[in-house]
Each structure stands twice: as C-alpha cells, then as structure tokens.
Amino acid sequence: MDWNGFAGNVLYVDLSAGELESRPLSRDLCEQYIGGLGGCIRLAYENITPGTEPLAPENPVIIGAGPLVGTSVPASSRVYGMTRLPQSRSVGWCGAGGVNFGAFMKYAGFDFLVITGKSDRPVYLDITGDAPVIRDAGSLWGMGVEDACRALWEKHGRPAGVLGIGQAGENQAAYAMAFVDRLSTMGRGGFGAVMGAKNLKAVIARGMNGITVADRKAYKKLTKDLFENIRNYPYLKEWQDLGLMKSLPIISKEEYSEAKVRRMACVSCPIGDKDIIRVSGLIATSSSAMNLYVPTIFGMKDHKEAVTLMTMLDGFAMDMFEFFAAVGFAGDLAVAGIISSDEATPPIDLTKFESMKIWAEKTAYRQGLGDLIARGLDAILERCGPEAAPYLPYKVKGMMPYAGPKAPLPWNLFGTMELGQILDPRGPHVGSGGSPTYFAQRPLEVFPKHLKRMGVPDDALDRILPGWREGAPTDLNIGRLLKYSHRWFTILGSLGVCARAQINRFYNYDLCSDLYQAVTGIPAQGSDLGDRADAAWALLKIINMREGFGRKDEEPPAKWFEEPPFCNYLTGKPITPGEVGVMIREYYAEQGWNPETGAPAMPAD
Amino acid sequence: MGKFLISIDAASCTGCMKCGLACSELYHRAFNPLLARIRVIVKGEEAEISFTEECTECGVCVDQCFYGALSKTPRES
Ligand code: SF4
Ligand code: SF4
Ligand code: SF4
C-alpha cells in the first residue's frame, strides 16, 4: 500500500526470543485513531493483557509518532509511548518533544514500535541500517543519558535519534524516565523503569526513506500561511530568546542570557525552547533551562549547585518532581522519628546540595533508604504505616500532582489543568489539561475565541460558558471544559504536533483537520477528527478500567482543601470536595460516559 | 553557480532541520533532511552546517530558517 504521512510499518520486537518482525501498518488504526498518540492507545488496547505487571516481560513498550511527524509542519515532532507504568500502575501515555527521534524513526520506516519480552543481557535496538537489529549494550549499561547518547552517536554517526535511559531506569526506580536525544523527558511514572526491566538501554533510529504528502498543493498553501503567521508573531523573537523562561521566569533574564550557550529545537520547530547552558564552567543540556533551576524552588540557594544536581538527576533519567516528593517525604518522616536517623544518614535536606547529591545517587542506585525512596510515595507510606500519612505531599495514583497551592508549581486556581490531575487516566499530569484557564483569571469574554480554536462546538459552549452568545459569559464550567482540553491534546498528539503554549496557539481545529487530510489523504471532514480523538481518549479510559481503576481512584487528595486550599477559578473562594465531585460528574457527562462510574461505552471490536 | 550566495551563522543554529526538510521536499518530493543538500550536525554544544556538491544555491532552505543561522545575498548576474 502507498502511504502518505505514515511510514507504513509497525516494528514488533520480542526481546526474550531476540525476534524482530516488521508488519504493515493497519489502515483501520489510522482512520479510526488518527495515528501517533491515538495509534499508541489502540496498540496498547490490543497488546496489553489486563493484569500484566508493569515490570513483567509481557508489558509492552509502545512508541509512536503521528502522521505529520517528519514533515515540515511547524513543531510536528512529538513522540508518544504507552506502557503500564510502575509508579501509578496505570496504563499511561508518555510524551516528549521528539527532537530528532520521532522523525528519524519514521525515516527508518516505522510509525510504531511494540517491544515486549526481556533480554537476558543489556541491549539496544538499532534501526539505523537496512534491517533493525538488537545489539549488545554491555558497554553502555551503567552510563548516564548524555554519555550513552554520545557513545551511540560516535558508533552510528550523527545525526540519529536516540531514546534512552539512565541508571535509574536500569535499576528500575519507579519514577525513572526515558530521554529523547538527551534533551526531552519522556514518561513520568516509570517509562524508563519498564525499559530497564527489559534490559533495553536505548533505541537509535535513522533512515533514508522520505515522508510524502498526499496533496502537495493544499499542503503548500496551508504551511505557507502557517509559516507567515509564525513569522509575524510579535513575540517570536522573545520566545526564541527566552524559551520557557518567558512564561515561568525562575531566574532573571540577565542571568539566563549569560548562561545560555545554544538554543535547541526539535525537528521542524520554529520556536524551540530546549537549552544548552553553561554555569561556572559546567555545561548542562535540558528540555528547558527552567528545569535546571528547579532545586531553587525547594530552597537550594546556590544556582551552580542547583544546576549540578539537576544534571545528575537528568543523567540518571529520574523524574525530578517525584524524586523531590519522595525524598522530601522520607526526610519529613526522619525528622518526625518515623524513619530512624541511622537509616536517614546523611540527614535529608532539600536545601543542601551535599545532602541531595548523596540521596540522588542512593536513589538511582537503590542503596539503603534510597531503595525505598526509589519505590515512590506509596511504598514509603506502606512501610511506615498510617502515622506517616499526615506528612504525605499531595498524592494521586501513587504520584504527586505537581500543580497546587503547596506544590512545586504553586498554582492555586482550580482550572482544567488542576482538575485534569485527577481525571487523566494516566495519573497526575498537567500536560493533557491545557485550556485558557492556564492563564490565571483571564476575563471570560476572551474564552469563546480560544475555545472555538480548540474545536468546542457551539452547543457545548452553551454548557461551558452560559451567556457567551450575548458576549457576556456568566459562568465557566471547568468539568465540561476539561473534555475539550483532553480532546485537543489528543488531536495534537495523534497528529504529532507539540502542545506547548507557544506552538499550540498557531493551530486550530479546522487547520488540524485540513493538515491531516492534505498529508495523509484520509478524509477528515466536519467533526471527524474530534470524534476520533474522543474515541482514542475513551479507549485510554477503558484500558485503565480493565486494570481495575474506577471512580474511587479519581478522588481529589484531601490536602487540596486544607490551608492553603485550591480556589474556585472565577470567585477565588476555596473549593470544596462537593464542588469537585460535581465537576467530575459533569466531565463524565460531557464525555458521554456513565456519570456515576465514568465508564465509556466499549468499542465495537 | 546559483542565484544566491549563502552565509552561515552556525552559532544561531538550533538543529531544527527546517532547512533540510524544505530542500529534500523540493528536490525529492519527500521530507527527510538526510536527503537534503544542506547538512546540519549538532555535536555537543557545537553545530556544523555544510552544503553538498549538488547544492544549487537556490536559497529555499534560507527562507525556512527561523533562527537567522542562514542568510542569502543575490549574486551579480
Ligand atoms: S516547543 Fe519545544 S518541545 Fe515543542 S517542538 Fe519546539 S522545541 Fe520541541
Ligand atoms: S540552497 Fe537550495 S539546493 Fe542548496 S541546500 Fe538550500 S535548498 Fe537545497
Ligand atoms: S540552519 Fe536554520 S533551519 Fe537549518 S537547522 Fe539550523 S536553525 Fe534550523
């Protein structure tokens, strides 16, 4: 079959048997679930047997890139993964800015990889040559992400895309991630641990196939207009200069420009936000320099020490938020005498580099108390018993929701991202819950324009923003709006477009439909694309219900209502558990799911 | 000799490969920067940009660079 947009193949790898098989991509999968994120969800539905333990060989690592990835559509770089995650135990989407990896996987001939089994020794998957090969990774095992990438590039040549893990993944720490081309993080909740459990250090990809588009004329027109819009964006230069520091300035502009060595961007991205910086002679690469200063949020004063610690965590490929949550929890329990001071030696102090450096190592290598910390919040709670509960940070599905009045992202208004932390089936993540509520207390009058851009139909707008037709909205229904956040996220992710604010603003629902059709040749009229995204998101929910997740797992943490509490987005008054309960019901109802249980209808096959 | 003289400012290059995507589509009707006549390689903190012998200096890649790493001046006819 001739494919446009898609590479046309799925690579199945069985690491136990050492077998690789390329199978043709299913046209049905693309037509029903768009591709990329939607395709990964469908493959997870087919390939994850309910009850599979996250670290068991049978749990597949599924990786995919959507039909626009590899084309010149701006910022169409996204890579997605699906697996059963060890920390949340949910079957979760994992996403990353694809840097080179997503596009290069497609140039190598594959839209998706489905990797099962467990190798009897460390290996990496090489898809840079004529045929994919499983290769020995003995010399890479034990290396941090940066060193492993460099070694693979030295061996296989540059450019090539590398998805790889660090020591935390090798040692199956519950919140180990994977990194894409050493720059993007992928898989909160333990995607890296699942790779580690398979003895899979990395996947390296490059190929000489080209991605074609079905309707070149339409494609040229659509992308020409899009490029012009971006070129004319008044804040283009500022975004390019500052990256994520523009919206979340963790250090001064002056300090940042002094540290900046090079701006990096994913393939096709005109507003890149990845960083290489130098601080007192230390070179650090990151998905954003902002992340490198996160330890300052926890009280570490010296910026070089903060960056050094983050470079260690990134090298180990360990999720910083979960690490700080777990190590902070253990530290508080040690102060309270619930964990003995012998075990908690040296004393755990998030403000001190010398302490954190040792605890980062102990955690990644699972030594002493570090082993418990590496297993995450639930494991600590289980060992220490109910007397530890008062010291817990916010917790949803075993993980820390990192937006909240007392969370690292100290947002106190309850918008879609905040509610999404309990309603995304993968567990707490703000990535899928984007909407205009991201900008605190924007006037409601600007909402219709943004919601229409996300594809919210007029009849839904009546429910979400009553009074909008008269130009004077009187209320905002966060629960119902979240359905469309999830839908928009699924559309962008399934196409392969980056959802970051500076990118997403140039896209709208109709443009996405038009691009999909021009690139793939698959018709996408009317509400089709939204329906397909809804089907994919519902399937994600169904996959998780198969694993036993239900309404009980979507309760907000009690601490969200303690001082200082989350507040109503419009009134600024503290929210109550009852209000959140109503939002959850309304979310389910807007999705067309059972309003009590949250169960979607089962798919036909 | 092509229409343009192309200059490179590798310090501004982000490795986004928009240049190579445009060139490959123009000459191969398929996207893949590895098929392009411009080569961008990021190694550590450095970026290297070069052109293959087949480059016609048509300047299309320059128009796609959003970061000022490529620029063009018309050649005297
Ligand atoms: S905005 Fe950042 S993550 Fe998104 S495509 Fe651009 S460089 Fe990649
Ligand atoms: S000048 Fe033209 S031929 Fe040369 S690399 Fe650029 S687009 Fe390709
Ligand atoms: S030269 Fe410009 S378009 Fe090409 S990779 Fe560098 S920044 Fe991107």
Side-chain angles (χ1 to χ4, degrees):
Chain A
M1 180 186 289
D2 282 343
W3 286 97
N4 292 297
F6 295 95
N9 303 292
V10 182
L11 179 63
Y12 286 83
V13 180
D14 178 345
L15 291 171
S16 301
E19 287 170 0
L20 303 107
E21 186 191 356
S22 171
R23 297 187 205 156
L25 179 63
S26 146
R27 177 102 186 166
D28 281 353
L29 177 137
C30 305
E31 289 186 351
Q32 291 174 27
Y33 297 98
I34 305 171
L37 170 60
C40 283
I41 293 171
R42 177 68 205 191
L43 287 169
Y45 179 69
E46 290 169 9
N47 288 284
I48 298 180
T49 309
T52 301
E53 280 299 308
L55 299 178
E58 297 75 26
N59 184 26
V61 162
I62 297 166
I63 298 163
L68 305 189
V69 177
T71 71
S72 65
V73 171
S76 57
S77 72
R78 278 300 270 191
V79 178
Y80 277 90
M82 285 286 291
T83 194
R84 186 156 189 214
L85 295 163
Q87 196 182 7
S88 54
R89 301 187 58 78
S90 61
V91 177
W93 60 264
C94 303
V99 197
N100 287 345
F101 182 81
F104 281 39
M105 177 178 84
K106 288 182 66 181
Y107 302 148
F110 303 103
D111 300 285
F112 299 97
L113 313 175
V114 180
I115 306 170
T116 51
K118 176 184 178 176
S119 168
D120 57 8
R121 66 202 150 86
V123 291
Y124 68 96
L125 177 61
D126 171 11
I127 46 176
T128 62
D130 292 340
V133 194
I134 299 167
R135 293 194 191 278
D136 187 272
S139 62
L140 302 175
W141 207 252
M143 281 186 184
V145 166
E146 179 95 30
D147 290 343
C149 280
R150 195 178 306 124
L152 283 166
W153 284 323
E154 292 296 332
K155 179 161 180 199
H156 293 278
R158 293 177 171 89
V162 176
L163 174 79
I165 61 170
Q167 297 92 336
E170 293 175 5
N171 297 320
Q172 300 168 36
Y175 38 87
M177 296 187 296
F179 267 66
V180 177
D181 292 322
R182 82 198 163 123
L183 280 170
S184 291
T185 56
M186 176 147 158
R188 289 193 80 224
F191 190 80
V194 178
M195 284 179 66
K198 300 191 167 320
N199 271 327
L200 177 64
K201 179 72 179 176
V203 181
I204 181 165
R206 177 178 56 228
M208 298 306 282
N209 299 311
I211 299 296
T212 56
V213 302
D215 183 343
R216 286 181 84 228
K217 202 167 151 214
Y219 180 88
K220 282 199 169 152
K221 165 94 179 71
L222 292 166
T223 48
K224 185 166 173 279
D225 293 349
L226 197 42
F227 288 144
E228 265 168 34
N229 286 344
I230 297 173
R231 279 221 190 266
N232 296 331
Y233 180 44
Y235 300 106
L236 174 63
K237 180 87 177 54
E238 204 181 331
W239 268 109
Q240 288 178 329
D241 283 347
L242 296 175
L244 290 190
M245 292 283 182
K246 174 161 161 50
S247 53
L248 297 163
I250 196 167
I251 55 168
S252 72
K253 280 185 192 168
E254 292 70 33
E255 183 178 350
Y256 175 55
S257 35
E258 198 166 310
K260 195 163 115 185
V261 174
R262 182 178 295 278
R263 165 73 63 233
M264 296 292 295
C266 298
V267 164
S268 80
C269 180
I271 320 178
D273 53 10
K274 310 216 170 283
D275 275 290
I276 303 180
I277 66 168
R278 185 186 291 113
V279 181
S280 313
L282 170 78
I283 291 282
T285 59
S286 178
S287 74
S288 162
M290 193 187 76
N291 291 348
L292 293 170
Y293 293 90
V294 159
T296 62
I297 297 175
F298 301 102
M300 196 171 285
K301 294 215 164 54
D302 184 282
H303 285 190
K304 183 178 182 195
E305 289 182 349
V307 173
T308 308
L309 176 63
M310 279 310 305
T311 304
M312 283 177 69
L313 294 180
D314 285 353
F316 295 146
M318 195 149 69
D319 179 353
M320 58 181 176
F321 286 136
E322 291 304 323
F323 169 69
F324 286 120
V327 79
F329 184 34
D332 289 348
L333 295 177
V335 171
I338 299 169
I339 287 179
S340 77
S341 52
D342 278 358
E343 258 194 303
T345 302
I348 295 171
D349 185 343
L350 272 64
T351 69
K352 297 265 180 344
F353 173 71
E354 284 309 321
S355 166
M356 280 303 101
K357 172 178 176 296
I358 291 167
W359 284 105
E361 279 168 356
K362 279 176 176 278
T363 305
Y365 292 103
R366 305 191 63 162
Q367 297 157 344
L369 184 64
D371 178 58
L372 182 65
I373 295 170
R375 283 155 53 208
L377 296 175
D378 274 344
I380 300 174
L381 188 61
E382 193 185 329
R383 200 201 86 175
C384 296
E387 60 174 344
Y391 300 91
L392 258 180
Y394 302 144
K395 182 169 79 72
V396 173
K397 291 185 185 158
M399 296 175 63
M400 184 193 59
Y402 53 86
K406 279 203 292 189
L409 295 182
W411 302 342
N412 71 336
L413 292 179
F414 203 69
T416 50
M417 278 186 170
E418 293 73 19
L419 177 62
Q421 295 182 107
I422 49 174
L423 289 177
D424 185 327
R426 87 177 302 288
H429 205 296
V430 297
S432 59
S435 81
T437 62
Y438 175 65
F439 300 93
Q441 288 184 318
R442 264 191 177 177
L444 287 187
E445 288 69 29
V446 307
F447 273 57
K449 182 178 92 185
H450 290 285
L451 300 192
K452 280 174 177 264
R453 184 175 71 74
M454 291 162 63
V456 181
D458 286 0
D459 64 314
L461 266 177
D462 291 338
R463 294 187 290 276
I464 293 166
L465 269 177
W468 75 277
R469 287 181 197 266
E470 293 75 45
T474 53
D475 201 1
L476 176 66
N477 190 313
I478 298 290
R480 290 190 185 270
L481 176 53
L482 181 60
K483 174 215 157 127
Y484 297 93
S485 302
H486 285 162
R487 192 169 86 162
W488 182 230
F489 171 77
T490 308
I491 290 173
L492 293 176
S494 300
L495 293 174
V497 175
C498 179
R500 291 224 162 139
Q502 75 268 29
I503 299 298
N504 170 346
R505 59 173 298 112
F506 295 104
Y507 285 86
N508 62 60
Y509 184 89
D510 289 339
L511 175 62
C512 285
S513 295
D514 292 347
L515 280 168
Y516 180 69
Q517 186 164 319
V519 170
T520 65
I522 299 172
Q525 288 113 9
S527 62
D528 275 9
L529 210 58
D531 291 347
R532 292 173 212 181
D534 287 346
W537 194 258
L539 197 56
L540 179 65
K541 175 85 177 171
I542 288 167
I543 297 170
N544 280 286
M545 294 191 87
R546 281 196 316 201
E547 301 294 351
F549 286 97
R551 178 67 184 82
K552 65 182 188 324
D553 304 294
E554 303 194 326
E555 284 298 330
K559 294 199 177 202
W560 276 2
F561 309 103
E562 293 171 4
E563 273 306 312
F566 259 127
C567 294
N568 181 290
Y569 182 80
L570 283 187
T571 64
K573 291 195 182 132
I575 53 162
T576 63
E579 277 174 76
V580 177
V582 172
M583 289 181 194
I584 294 171
R585 280 177 61 98
E586 287 180 321
Y587 170 79
Y588 293 159
E590 192 67 30
Q591 286 283 17
W593 301 348
N594 182 309
E596 299 305 324
T597 64
M602 288 298 286
D605 53 332
Chain B
M1 196 180 286
K3 274 197 288 189
F4 295 101
L5 183 67
I6 298 176
S7 343
I8 294 169
D9 170 19
S12 302
C13 177
T14 62
C16 76
M17 303 208 188
K18 287 181 70 59
C19 49
L21 289 165
C23 179
S24 60
E25 212 283 335
L26 183 65
Y27 293 99
H28 295 269
R29 297 210 163 198
F31 291 106
N32 183 340
L34 301 175
L35 302 171
R37 297 161 184 197
I38 181 167
R39 292 282 146 84
V40 177
I41 294 180
V42 179
K43 194 173 172 183
E45 315 102 75
E46 303 299 326
E48 292 164 17
I49 303 174
S50 59
F51 295 88
T52 68
E53 281 181 4
E54 296 84 56
C55 171
T56 62
E57 299 182 322
C58 67
V60 166
C61 53
V62 179
D63 300 336
Q64 291 297 315
C65 181
F66 275 60
Y67 297 96
L70 301 174
S71 51
K72 63 183 183 185
T73 39
R75 287 190 193 273
E76 306 283 325
S77 54

